[in-house]
Every structure is written in C-alpha cells, then in structure tokens.
Amino acid sequence: MPVTDLWTELKSADKKIVLYGTGNGADKIIACLERHGIAVDGIFASNGFVRDREFHGIKVRSYEQIKEEFGEFIVLMCFGSSRVEVIDFVKRIMSENEFYLPDVPVYGDIVFDSEYYLNNVNRFNAVEAKLEDSISQKTYRDIIQYKLSGDVRYLFDSETTENEEESIIELADNSILIDCGAYNGDTVRKYKRVYGNKLSRIIAVEPDKRNYRKLCAFAENMTDVFPINAAVSEADGKVILQDNTGRGVHIDGNSVFDKERENTVDVMCIDTIAEKYMTDGTDIKDILIKFDVEGNEVKALNGARKLIENRRPKMVVACYHRNDDMFRIPETVFAIRGDYKLKIRHLPGLPCWDTQFYFY
C-alpha cells in the first residue's frame, strides 16, 4: 500500500500556506517546511494574541484579515490545546479551509514522515498485535494516520472519555501509587478521586522547584502523600535543570540555559524509590506507576527493571513526547517482562498529547 505524508502533499499544494499560532511549535514546523522547500505565506493568531508584531519576519494578523487577503488557503496549526473555545475555532476553520496540525516531536528530532513509518512498519505492527482490544487497535492506527497526514479528524475519531480511561486499571485495597511527573498535585488529585481509600500511599515525584513547592502545599495535610523533589531516570545521580519551565521539565536539558534559573536536582530510579518507600513490612497489594516524564519514559522504565520483574506493577505511560515512543515503550516493557496486557487511549485534545499506554 502506498504511504504518503503531509510534507509531500504540501510540496505540490496550489494554495497559500498559512500558520495558525507562533512560538516553539511554529519554529519546528517552519524548520520542517524549509527542509522541504515550502514557503510560508502568512501567519495568524487567535483574537487577543495578534498585537502589532512579526514572527520569522512575517506580520502576525487575524484569521479574518488572512481570509480577506487570500480567500482560500491551507492552515497549519502550530500549537496544542484542549480548550473548548480553541477546538470550536479549529472546527470553524476546518469548515472553511484545508486544515492540518503537523506532527512535530515534543522532544527529539525524529519527524514522522512516510520514510520513517516504512522503516519501522514491522515494529508498529508488532505493537498493534499486542494491543488488547479493538479500541486500542483503532486508536493506534488513527494516531499513526494522524502523524503521517496531520489530519486532526483522526484524533477526533479516536478520543475516549475520561471515565472510560479511568476504568482501564483496577487496584486492590492497600495499593501504592508512584506518580512520576506529579506537577502540582493534579494527578495525585485525580488518582485519589478514582481509587479513593484503595491507595494507602502515594509517592509523588516532581523535579521542578516551583512545581514541587506547589505539590508540597497541596499535600501539606495529607499523611499518605510523600513528595520527592527529583527527576526519574535509569540510574541515580544529579542533573542540572531549569526551574520555572511550566509543566514540562526535560531531564536531558534545554538547548539554551538561563544560568539564573539553573538548579541541581537529584535523579532517582524507580527501583531506588521502591526500596525506600516500600520496605516497611506493609502488605502492599498492587503498585501503580504513572510515567509522564517529558520524553524520558524509556529510561525511567529501565530504572524500574527490578520492580517490574519482581512485582509486576501496573503502569500508565505517556507515549507522545518522542515519535519512537510509539514502539520503544512497549518494546522496553515486554523485554523486561512479557506477561503484561496492553491498551492505548487518547483523551480529547490537539495534537495527540494525553495519549498513554496502559500495562496491566
């Protein structure tokens, strides 16, 4: 079956190409367009973000101004969002013009084009064969089709509900949660709501100093929550990170460091955390680990090797930070222990962020 991709299609497009949004995502998309010899003809922003400014030497205008000048054109969205008003605006644009949201990796430099897919098709097929249900198989295929085409209809078509997603993994009484990438406590709050008193202990791991302070404030009166200011990887050590980077803190660092925001943070592997917080004689039934560690998921899984081998924890693993996460994460887990069941789900939002593997 012939496989094509968005970048190839855009090279032969006969309409003006316009970007929706500015910032880091737009930088990445412009770089991909330039590699393929594709020019950008205009840029627009949401109302309230237009202002009197330029981006990459192009004046930022409103959608209405772009419509007035070009008539029909191709829109490339350059940022992610799950906000209802943004999704509604996207659907309006889609009803009026060709619309795509190019897939560019959050971390790493692998572009998911047809060559990349064909070079790894056997690995994708092997993961799909291990998926436990038809919803997972369809979701997996839809995400691959989205990554190739940039067509967000594949994402809309693969969305699941929060209630359905939360029902995938069941826990027994007296279980433990290890929350890797705990941010300000939002996922601790979620899992407390989902599992209630079944969670006897929650170890919440967050590397960013400001996020960690918020996490500690959130957990201040909770005797069952143990915050740890650390990054998670395959071995213990130290790493220099930038504080105040928002939700995402990447352990491999940023391309440009602000010396005033540097902070040395502990790096811990899950096996070390388990030895410290799970050896008090408590009769632990189930262990749930949530991995959302900004592209460091494979290393973090390798740092949980002993726990996976000996205790078979249930795991929720984000798989949208790097394009090879779509096969490397399952390959890593099944290489350690082959008796897991596997599902994948995508929660509402653009692009395919909030997409996770479930090992149980």
Short mmCIF file of all heavy atoms in Angstrom, two decimals, residues 155-194:
data_model
loop_
_atom_site.label_atom_id
_atom_site.label_comp_id
_atom_site.label_asym_id
_atom_site.label_seq_id
_atom_site.Cartn_x
_atom_site.Cartn_y
_atom_site.Cartn_z
N LEU A 155 -7.68 12.25 15.12
CA LEU A 155 -7.63 12.42 16.57
C LEU A 155 -9.03 12.55 17.15
O LEU A 155 -9.35 11.95 18.19
CB LEU A 155 -6.78 13.64 16.94
CG LEU A 155 -5.31 13.56 16.57
CD1 LEU A 155 -4.58 14.82 17.02
CD2 LEU A 155 -4.65 12.33 17.18
N PHE A 156 -9.87 13.35 16.50
CA PHE A 156 -11.25 13.46 16.97
C PHE A 156 -11.92 12.09 16.99
O PHE A 156 -12.69 11.77 17.90
CB PHE A 156 -12.06 14.40 16.06
CG PHE A 156 -11.65 15.85 16.16
CD1 PHE A 156 -11.67 16.67 15.04
CD2 PHE A 156 -11.24 16.41 17.37
CE1 PHE A 156 -11.30 18.01 15.12
CE2 PHE A 156 -10.86 17.74 17.47
CZ PHE A 156 -10.90 18.54 16.34
N ASP A 157 -11.60 11.27 16.00
CA ASP A 157 -12.25 9.97 15.86
C ASP A 157 -11.74 8.94 16.86
O ASP A 157 -12.37 7.91 17.08
CB ASP A 157 -12.04 9.45 14.43
CG ASP A 157 -13.08 8.42 14.04
OD1 ASP A 157 -14.24 8.55 14.47
OD2 ASP A 157 -12.74 7.47 13.30
N SER A 158 -10.59 9.22 17.48
CA SER A 158 -10.01 8.24 18.41
C SER A 158 -10.14 8.66 19.88
O SER A 158 -9.63 7.97 20.76
CB SER A 158 -8.52 8.03 18.08
OG SER A 158 -7.77 9.20 18.34
N GLU A 159 -10.82 9.76 20.14
CA GLU A 159 -10.94 10.24 21.52
C GLU A 159 -11.75 9.27 22.38
O GLU A 159 -12.74 8.69 21.93
CB GLU A 159 -11.63 11.61 21.55
CG GLU A 159 -10.80 12.74 20.98
CD GLU A 159 -11.56 14.04 20.93
OE1 GLU A 159 -12.78 14.03 21.21
OE2 GLU A 159 -10.93 15.07 20.61
N THR A 160 -11.33 9.14 23.62
CA THR A 160 -12.11 8.40 24.60
C THR A 160 -12.56 9.36 25.69
O THR A 160 -12.12 10.50 25.74
CB THR A 160 -11.29 7.25 25.20
OG1 THR A 160 -12.16 6.38 25.93
CG2 THR A 160 -10.20 7.77 26.14
N THR A 161 -13.43 8.89 26.56
CA THR A 161 -13.89 9.72 27.66
C THR A 161 -12.99 9.51 28.88
O THR A 161 -12.32 8.48 29.01
CB THR A 161 -15.33 9.37 28.07
OG1 THR A 161 -15.36 8.03 28.59
CG2 THR A 161 -16.26 9.47 26.87
N GLU A 162 -12.99 10.49 29.77
CA GLU A 162 -12.18 10.38 30.98
C GLU A 162 -12.65 9.20 31.82
O GLU A 162 -11.83 8.47 32.38
CB GLU A 162 -12.27 11.68 31.78
CG GLU A 162 -11.27 11.77 32.91
CD GLU A 162 -11.19 13.17 33.50
OE1 GLU A 162 -10.85 14.10 32.75
OE2 GLU A 162 -11.47 13.31 34.70
N ASN A 163 -13.96 8.99 31.91
CA ASN A 163 -14.48 7.87 32.71
C ASN A 163 -14.02 6.53 32.15
O ASN A 163 -13.65 5.63 32.91
CB ASN A 163 -16.01 7.91 32.75
CG ASN A 163 -16.55 9.01 33.65
OD1 ASN A 163 -15.83 9.50 34.53
ND2 ASN A 163 -17.79 9.39 33.46
N GLU A 164 -14.05 6.38 30.83
CA GLU A 164 -13.61 5.11 30.23
C GLU A 164 -12.12 4.90 30.46
O GLU A 164 -11.69 3.80 30.81
CB GLU A 164 -13.93 5.12 28.73
CG GLU A 164 -13.84 3.75 28.06
CD GLU A 164 -12.44 3.35 27.62
OE1 GLU A 164 -11.61 4.26 27.40
OE2 GLU A 164 -12.18 2.14 27.49
N GLU A 165 -11.34 5.95 30.29
CA GLU A 165 -9.89 5.86 30.50
C GLU A 165 -9.58 5.46 31.94
O GLU A 165 -8.70 4.63 32.19
CB GLU A 165 -9.24 7.19 30.14
CG GLU A 165 -7.73 7.21 30.24
CD GLU A 165 -7.23 7.70 31.59
OE1 GLU A 165 -8.00 8.36 32.31
OE2 GLU A 165 -6.07 7.41 31.93
N GLU A 166 -10.31 6.03 32.88
CA GLU A 166 -10.04 5.76 34.29
C GLU A 166 -10.46 4.36 34.72
O GLU A 166 -10.05 3.89 35.79
CB GLU A 166 -10.76 6.80 35.15
CG GLU A 166 -10.18 8.19 35.02
CD GLU A 166 -11.01 9.27 35.69
OE1 GLU A 166 -12.14 8.95 36.16
OE2 GLU A 166 -10.55 10.43 35.75
N SER A 167 -11.26 3.68 33.90
CA SER A 167 -11.74 2.34 34.27
C SER A 167 -10.81 1.22 33.81
O SER A 167 -11.04 0.06 34.13
CB SER A 167 -13.13 2.11 33.67
OG SER A 167 -13.06 1.98 32.25
N ILE A 168 -9.75 1.55 33.07
CA ILE A 168 -8.90 0.51 32.47
C ILE A 168 -8.15 -0.28 33.53
O ILE A 168 -8.09 -1.52 33.50
CB ILE A 168 -7.92 1.14 31.46
CG1 ILE A 168 -8.69 1.68 30.26
CG2 ILE A 168 -6.87 0.11 31.01
CD1 ILE A 168 -7.83 2.44 29.26
N ILE A 169 -7.55 0.41 34.49
CA ILE A 169 -6.73 -0.26 35.50
C ILE A 169 -7.48 -0.30 36.83
O ILE A 169 -7.89 0.74 37.35
CB ILE A 169 -5.38 0.46 35.67
CG1 ILE A 169 -4.53 0.25 34.41
CG2 ILE A 169 -4.63 -0.06 36.90
CD1 ILE A 169 -3.16 0.89 34.46
N GLU A 170 -7.63 -1.49 37.36
CA GLU A 170 -8.26 -1.67 38.67
C GLU A 170 -7.18 -1.95 39.71
O GLU A 170 -6.15 -2.58 39.41
CB GLU A 170 -9.25 -2.83 38.62
CG GLU A 170 -10.42 -2.59 37.68
CD GLU A 170 -11.40 -3.75 37.68
OE1 GLU A 170 -11.11 -4.78 38.35
OE2 GLU A 170 -12.45 -3.65 37.01
N LEU A 171 -7.41 -1.49 40.92
CA LEU A 171 -6.48 -1.71 42.02
C LEU A 171 -7.19 -2.38 43.19
O LEU A 171 -8.38 -2.14 43.42
CB LEU A 171 -5.88 -0.38 42.51
CG LEU A 171 -5.01 0.41 41.52
CD1 LEU A 171 -4.52 1.70 42.18
CD2 LEU A 171 -3.84 -0.41 41.00
N ALA A 172 -6.44 -3.20 43.91
CA ALA A 172 -6.96 -3.81 45.13
C ALA A 172 -6.79 -2.84 46.30
O ALA A 172 -6.10 -1.81 46.18
CB ALA A 172 -6.20 -5.11 45.41
N ASP A 173 -7.39 -3.16 47.43
CA ASP A 173 -7.16 -2.37 48.63
C ASP A 173 -5.69 -2.43 49.02
O ASP A 173 -4.98 -3.40 48.72
CB ASP A 173 -8.01 -2.91 49.79
CG ASP A 173 -9.49 -2.64 49.58
OD1 ASP A 173 -9.83 -1.74 48.79
OD2 ASP A 173 -10.31 -3.35 50.20
N ASN A 174 -5.22 -1.38 49.70
CA ASN A 174 -3.84 -1.29 50.17
C ASN A 174 -2.84 -1.31 49.01
O ASN A 174 -1.91 -2.10 48.98
CB ASN A 174 -3.51 -2.40 51.17
CG ASN A 174 -2.28 -2.06 51.99
OD1 ASN A 174 -1.94 -0.89 52.17
ND2 ASN A 174 -1.59 -3.07 52.47
N SER A 175 -3.06 -0.40 48.07
CA SER A 175 -2.18 -0.27 46.91
C SER A 175 -1.36 1.02 47.03
O SER A 175 -1.68 1.91 47.83
CB SER A 175 -3.00 -0.24 45.61
OG SER A 175 -3.63 -1.49 45.39
N ILE A 176 -0.31 1.09 46.22
CA ILE A 176 0.59 2.25 46.23
C ILE A 176 0.63 2.86 44.83
O ILE A 176 0.65 2.14 43.82
CB ILE A 176 2.01 1.83 46.67
CG1 ILE A 176 2.07 1.65 48.19
CG2 ILE A 176 3.05 2.86 46.23
CD1 ILE A 176 3.43 1.31 48.70
N LEU A 177 0.65 4.19 44.78
CA LEU A 177 0.85 4.92 43.54
C LEU A 177 2.21 5.60 43.57
O LEU A 177 2.55 6.28 44.55
CB LEU A 177 -0.23 5.99 43.35
CG LEU A 177 0.03 7.04 42.25
CD1 LEU A 177 0.01 6.41 40.86
CD2 LEU A 177 -1.00 8.18 42.34
N ILE A 178 3.00 5.41 42.52
CA ILE A 178 4.22 6.20 42.30
C ILE A 178 3.94 7.11 41.12
O ILE A 178 3.79 6.64 39.98
CB ILE A 178 5.45 5.32 42.04
CG1 ILE A 178 5.65 4.32 43.18
CG2 ILE A 178 6.69 6.18 41.87
CD1 ILE A 178 6.80 3.33 42.95
N ASP A 179 3.82 8.39 41.39
CA ASP A 179 3.44 9.37 40.38
C ASP A 179 4.68 10.10 39.89
O ASP A 179 5.19 11.01 40.56
CB ASP A 179 2.43 10.35 40.98
CG ASP A 179 1.88 11.34 39.96
OD1 ASP A 179 2.37 11.35 38.82
OD2 ASP A 179 0.95 12.10 40.31
N CYS A 180 5.17 9.72 38.73
CA CYS A 180 6.39 10.31 38.17
C CYS A 180 6.01 11.44 37.20
O CYS A 180 5.45 11.19 36.14
CB CYS A 180 7.21 9.26 37.42
SG CYS A 180 7.65 7.84 38.44
N GLY A 181 6.34 12.65 37.60
CA GLY A 181 5.87 13.83 36.89
C GLY A 181 4.60 14.33 37.53
O GLY A 181 3.57 14.54 36.89
N ALA A 182 4.67 14.55 38.86
CA ALA A 182 3.47 14.85 39.65
C ALA A 182 3.00 16.29 39.50
O ALA A 182 1.91 16.63 39.96
CB ALA A 182 3.73 14.54 41.13
N TYR A 183 3.83 17.14 38.91
CA TYR A 183 3.49 18.55 38.67
C TYR A 183 3.09 19.20 39.99
O TYR A 183 3.85 19.18 40.95
CB TYR A 183 2.40 18.62 37.60
CG TYR A 183 2.09 20.03 37.12
CD1 TYR A 183 3.08 20.96 36.85
CD2 TYR A 183 0.76 20.41 36.91
CE1 TYR A 183 2.77 22.24 36.40
CE2 TYR A 183 0.44 21.69 36.46
CZ TYR A 183 1.45 22.60 36.22
OH TYR A 183 1.13 23.85 35.77
N ASN A 184 1.91 19.77 40.07
CA ASN A 184 1.49 20.47 41.29
C ASN A 184 0.52 19.66 42.13
O ASN A 184 -0.09 20.19 43.06
CB ASN A 184 0.87 21.82 40.93
CG ASN A 184 -0.38 21.67 40.07
OD1 ASN A 184 -0.87 20.56 39.85
ND2 ASN A 184 -0.90 22.77 39.56
N GLY A 185 0.38 18.38 41.80
CA GLY A 185 -0.53 17.52 42.53
C GLY A 185 -1.80 17.20 41.78
O GLY A 185 -2.68 16.51 42.31
N ASP A 186 -1.90 17.65 40.52
CA ASP A 186 -3.15 17.42 39.79
C ASP A 186 -3.44 15.95 39.55
O ASP A 186 -4.60 15.51 39.64
CB ASP A 186 -3.17 18.22 38.48
CG ASP A 186 -2.05 17.86 37.53
OD1 ASP A 186 -1.06 17.22 37.95
OD2 ASP A 186 -2.13 18.25 36.34
N THR A 187 -2.40 15.15 39.24
CA THR A 187 -2.66 13.73 39.01
C THR A 187 -2.82 12.97 40.32
O THR A 187 -3.52 11.97 40.36
CB THR A 187 -1.56 13.10 38.15
OG1 THR A 187 -0.26 13.47 38.66
CG2 THR A 187 -1.67 13.53 36.72
N VAL A 188 -2.20 13.45 41.39
CA VAL A 188 -2.47 12.86 42.71
C VAL A 188 -3.95 13.04 43.02
O VAL A 188 -4.63 12.11 43.48
CB VAL A 188 -1.61 13.53 43.80
CG1 VAL A 188 -2.06 13.08 45.18
CG2 VAL A 188 -0.13 13.21 43.59
N ARG A 189 -4.46 14.23 42.77
CA ARG A 189 -5.88 14.51 42.99
C ARG A 189 -6.75 13.58 42.16
O ARG A 189 -7.75 13.02 42.64
CB ARG A 189 -6.18 15.96 42.65
CG ARG A 189 -7.60 16.41 42.95
CD ARG A 189 -7.84 17.85 42.54
NE ARG A 189 -7.02 18.78 43.31
CZ ARG A 189 -6.00 19.46 42.82
NH1 ARG A 189 -5.64 19.29 41.55
NH2 ARG A 189 -5.32 20.30 43.57
N LYS A 190 -6.37 13.39 40.89
CA LYS A 190 -7.15 12.51 40.00
C LYS A 190 -7.19 11.08 40.54
O LYS A 190 -8.27 10.48 40.65
CB LYS A 190 -6.54 12.51 38.60
CG LYS A 190 -7.10 11.42 37.69
CD LYS A 190 -6.39 11.37 36.36
CE LYS A 190 -6.85 10.14 35.56
NZ LYS A 190 -6.27 10.11 34.19
N TYR A 191 -6.01 10.54 40.88
CA TYR A 191 -5.98 9.15 41.30
C TYR A 191 -6.61 8.94 42.68
O TYR A 191 -7.17 7.88 42.95
CB TYR A 191 -4.55 8.61 41.25
CG TYR A 191 -4.08 8.37 39.84
CD1 TYR A 191 -3.02 9.09 39.30
CD2 TYR A 191 -4.71 7.44 39.02
CE1 TYR A 191 -2.59 8.88 37.99
CE2 TYR A 191 -4.30 7.22 37.73
CZ TYR A 191 -3.24 7.95 37.21
OH TYR A 191 -2.83 7.74 35.91
N LYS A 192 -6.57 9.94 43.53
CA LYS A 192 -7.31 9.85 44.79
C LYS A 192 -8.81 9.77 44.53
O LYS A 192 -9.54 9.03 45.18
CB LYS A 192 -6.99 11.07 45.68
CG LYS A 192 -5.77 10.91 46.56
CD LYS A 192 -5.57 12.16 47.41
CE LYS A 192 -4.61 11.89 48.56
NZ LYS A 192 -5.23 11.11 49.64
N ARG A 193 -9.27 10.55 43.55
CA ARG A 193 -10.69 10.51 43.20
C ARG A 193 -11.06 9.16 42.60
O ARG A 193 -12.11 8.60 42.92
CB ARG A 193 -11.00 11.63 42.21
CG ARG A 193 -12.42 11.58 41.65
CD ARG A 193 -12.69 12.74 40.71
NE ARG A 193 -11.74 12.82 39.62
CZ ARG A 193 -11.78 12.05 38.52
NH1 ARG A 193 -12.71 11.12 38.39
NH2 ARG A 193 -10.88 12.20 37.56
N VAL A 194 -10.21 8.62 41.73
CA VAL A 194 -10.53 7.37 41.03
C VAL A 194 -10.47 6.18 41.98
O VAL A 194 -11.37 5.31 41.97
CB VAL A 194 -9.56 7.17 39.85
CG1 VAL A 194 -9.76 5.78 39.22
CG2 VAL A 194 -9.76 8.26 38.80
#
